[in-house]
Amino acid sequence: MRLAIIGGGAAGMMASVFAAKDGVSVDLYERNEKLGKKLYITGKGRCNLTNACDMEELLGSVRSNPKFLYSAFYGFTNRDAMDFFEKEGLRIKVERGNRVFPESDRSADVLDALKHAIKKAGVRVHLNSRVTRLRKDGGRFLLELEEGKTAEADRVFVATGGISYESTGSTGDGYLMARELGLKVTECCPSLVPFQIKESFVKELQGLALKNIAIRVMDGKKVLHEDFGELLFTHFGVSGPLILTASSVCGRNIQEKELKLFLDLKPALTTEQMETRVLREFEAAKNKKFGNVASVFFPSKLTPVMIHLSGISAEKKVNEITKEERRRFLQNMKELQLTVTGLRGYNEAVVTKGGVSVKEIHPSSMESNKVPGLYFIGEVLDLDAVTGGFNLQIAWSTAVAAARAVSLES
């Protein structure tokens, strides 16, 4: 049996190893000049390769179609992924939030482990080989490549990724192949991506990171998402772990309308406790200017913005501040309101939400229900998760599920 894998990213590489070592003849086609370009930049170049949490949290971290992954995740767990890399000589470590990284903090070492396994398994790697079209001719598949070249295969894995980070080769080729062969592709949008904010003052806060704050995303009176953690202000809006996770939950809502984002800058204190603290600070400095006292509560970069939003003159004596002015100042600390106008584009998105509909894919093998012998693995599927190594675990698990299914046939 001859297997063609289209796409030399995380899923494609892993699938090639598991299929080839079980005796399947494997050709791996990669459009770029090297394998794993996107994997190389993941985790800011450190490669958060999985998450060491329990299975309940693993499944709970998947935002699109988690039930579909039940079989794949149990078939090749996060522990299995860690064991695989350790056996290939990669030393790993577990950090905050159970995130798993190479001990060296170098994504290149993860790639080297995969490439070593690929070579050892006898996979034929074809670089600079973009598959432009996929057709089925009788019982075999015909792959059309650039420059008029063709190749044949008995089975095909489509592992082309989504459309995030186009510079790495993720241009949506797999979606086109799926549609041409009669499969449904769900609507796509960027995920794990920063928010664009309407309020102009965010530009003044560019580069400011706020730790241990709480956020709430609202659609009118409906709460779409709440979380706690770290946020980063940018020239266009907000980013950071809190926002990337929020985008995976609220992304499609943001595409349709403006939403409100509320920041609780002091989540450790209730409104009543915060009011007590403000009164205490004001009483201790009642003859001082408000601008000087306000700086007690915020980082220096944030203080001028919070003074402006309060509507209180920085020159005003604290003992002259009215109850209404104090209430507004307090409200901005506990519910700083921002207007979310959109998501940043695919070139800033970690993953793509949407893809080949999992309703048309067998969950234990990743094989198409409509086209026998055709499999879809990794990000090309309508599967995505929050940050923390979960999206790469989807790639590993779906890849191994497909590889094992084909190995059983050979």
Side-chain angles (χ1 to χ4, degrees), residues 167-231:
S167 61
T168 64
S170 300
T171 56
D173 288 355
Y175 303 149
L176 181 61
M177 293 173 194
R179 289 191 182 102
E180 286 190 338
L181 288 165
L183 280 76
K184 180 184 177 184
V185 177
T186 64
E187 182 184 354
C188 296
C189 73
S191 191
L192 302 184
V193 64
F195 286 175
Q196 294 185 160
I197 299 295
K198 178 186 287 186
E199 286 75 14
S200 60
F201 64 75
V202 295
K203 293 179 182 178
E204 300 172 40
L205 301 174
Q206 181 180 350
L208 174 64
L210 297 178
K211 297 182 178 180
N212 303 319
I213 70 163
I215 67 166
R216 186 171 76 255
V217 184
M218 302 283 293
D219 180 1
K221 294 183 178 180
K222 183 181 179 182
V223 178
L224 298 179
H225 178 68
E226 292 180 293
D227 205 354
F228 174 87
E230 183 176 340
L231 174 145

Side-chain angles (χ1 to χ4, degrees), residues 64-69 184-186 355-363 366-367 369 378 380-383:
S64 300
N65 304 304
K67 290 181 181 178
F68 174 84
L69 284 165
K184 180 184 177 184
V185 177
T186 64
V356 176
S357 173
V358 297
K359 292 178 181 178
E360 301 183 352
I361 304 296
H362 198 286
M366 304 299 134
E367 186 175 14
N369 295 329
V380 72
L381 288 163
D382 184 10
L383 300 167

Side-chain angles (χ1 to χ4, degrees), residues 299-356:
S300 58
K301 207 167 193 176
L302 182 57
T303 300
V305 171
M306 296 302 289
I307 290 172
H308 172 73
L309 293 175
S310 73
I312 307 170
S313 168
E315 299 299 312
K316 193 170 188 175
K317 293 284 183 67
V318 168
N319 60 11
E320 297 173 357
I321 292 174
T322 66
K323 185 176 181 181
E324 176 58 28
E325 288 174 328
R326 190 178 70 243
R327 185 201 62 79
R328 192 163 58 241
F329 178 61
L330 182 65
Q331 185 175 10
N332 282 330
M333 277 196 271
K334 296 296 289 180
E335 287 192 322
L336 178 58
Q337 181 176 304
L338 302 173
T339 307
V340 184
T341 58
L343 300 169
R344 297 294 281 180
Y346 284 107
N347 280 336
E348 294 180 47
V350 177
V351 295
T352 304
K353 182 180 284 291
V356 176

Side-chain angles (χ1 to χ4, degrees), residues 29 31 49 73 92 130-131 141 143 194 202 317 352 383 399:
Y29 295 91
R31 62 181 290 165
L49 56 94
F73 272 178
I92 60 177
R130 181 188 177 192
V131 178
F141 291 92
L143 287 72
V202 295
K317 293 284 183 67
T352 304
L383 300 167

Side-chain angles (χ1 to χ4, degrees), residues 62-201:
V62 178
R63 293 303 179 189
S64 300
N65 304 304
K67 290 181 181 178
F68 174 84
L69 284 165
Y70 190 90
S71 177
F73 272 178
Y74 274 97
F76 189 75
T77 67
N78 46 357
R79 184 66 257 177
D80 292 330
M82 294 160 70
D83 288 344
F84 167 83
F85 283 105
E86 287 182 316
K87 285 174 183 175
E88 291 301 325
L90 182 73
R91 296 171 68 91
I92 60 177
K93 60 182 177 180
V94 180
E95 295 188 357
R96 179 176 55 87
N98 287 317
R99 296 170 187 240
V100 180
F101 290 92
E103 200 172 84
S104 64
D105 285 329
R106 296 176 70 249
S107 58
D109 291 342
V110 178
L111 271 171
D112 286 345
L114 282 166
K115 287 189 281 191
H116 177 260
I118 285 170
K119 185 176 182 180
K120 188 169 56 176
V123 177
R124 291 180 295 277
V125 178
H126 307 271
L127 300 175
N128 296 303
S129 299
R130 181 188 177 192
V131 178
T132 57
R133 194 179 180 200
L134 176 64
R135 294 188 287 123
K136 191 164 189 186
D137 185 11
R140 287 175 69 79
F141 291 92
L142 180 67
L143 287 72
E144 296 181 8
L145 290 86
E146 290 179 326
E147 300 177 359
K149 297 178 183 178
T150 60
E152 291 188 354
D154 301 297
R155 302 287 185 272
V156 172
F157 290 180
V158 178
T160 51
I163 43 182
S164 55
Y165 289 129
E166 185 178 341
S167 61
T168 64
S170 300
T171 56
D173 288 355
Y175 303 149
L176 181 61
M177 293 173 194
R179 289 191 182 102
E180 286 190 338
L181 288 165
L183 280 76
K184 180 184 177 184
V185 177
T186 64
E187 182 184 354
C188 296
C189 73
S191 191
L192 302 184
V193 64
F195 286 175
Q196 294 185 160
I197 299 295
K198 178 186 287 186
E199 286 75 14
S200 60
F201 64 75

